[in-house]
């Protein structure tokens, strides 16, 4: 969070979204929280990504998006975001380095 703006785009239902937001103090960890139940749109629809991009005040090409569902990754890429399909933590680290995030101290 010191070097980058961070956000969550989540399709969790209202009760779960509310619970995890409070339980894990997500507002203290992330700059932007975008929950589909609050926005009335879900992944992989492009509108939810556009809401997150606007809320962060960045351009799509300045965004890295990580998700475990290929359709969500494709949708984010379609907007120009650097999107990564999450399969395991070690691969994620390598993928982040490939797009210029991480790798150094």
């Amino acid at each position: 969070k010191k070097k980058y703006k961070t956000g969550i785009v989540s399709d969790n239902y209202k009760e779960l979204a509310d619970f995890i937001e409070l339980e894990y103090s997500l507002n203290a960890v992330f700059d932007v929280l975008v929950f589909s139940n609050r926005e009335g749109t879900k992944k992989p629809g492009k509108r939810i990504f556009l809401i997150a991009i606007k809320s962060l005040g960045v351009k799509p090409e300045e965004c890295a998006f990580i998700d475990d569902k290929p359709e969500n990754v494709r949708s984010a890429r379609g907007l120009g975001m650097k999107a990564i399909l999450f399969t395991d933590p070690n691969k994620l680290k390598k993928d982040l380095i490939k797009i210029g995030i991480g790798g150094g101290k």
Side-chain angles (χ1 to χ4, degrees):
K1 193 171 176 178
K2 291 179 184 180
K3 281 180 78 174
Y4 302 99
K5 294 180 182 180
T6 60
I8 289 181
V9 176
S10 173
D11 282 344
N12 285 315
Y13 58 91
K14 181 185 180 340
E15 293 79 10
L16 181 56
D18 292 347
F19 172 78
I20 62 174
E21 181 178 5
L22 295 174
E23 182 69 19
Y24 298 104
S25 303
L26 295 181
N27 286 314
V29 179
F30 295 94
D31 297 305
V32 170
L33 306 174
V34 180
F35 290 106
S36 61
N37 64 75
R38 296 176 188 165
E39 301 298 337
T41 184
K42 294 175 75 170
K43 297 179 283 183
K46 296 192 185 304
R47 188 168 156 254
I48 196 159
F49 295 112
L50 294 172
I51 291 167
I53 290 165
K54 183 176 181 181
S55 297
L56 286 166
V58 297
K59 298 173 186 171
E61 60 272 15
E62 296 174 320
C63 294
F65 174 75
I66 303 160
D67 202 291
D68 62 348
K69 294 184 179 172
E71 62 271 21
N72 297 339
V73 171
R74 280 191 299 275
S75 184
R77 280 188 186 143
L79 288 170
M81 298 168 79
K82 298 169 187 149
I84 297 170
L85 180 64
F86 177 82
T87 54
D88 70 72
N90 291 325
K91 184 175 181 314
L92 175 60
K93 287 178 187 178
K94 290 175 186 175
D95 289 341
L96 287 169
I97 290 168
K98 282 181 190 175
I99 64 169
I101 299 173
K105 292 193 177 203

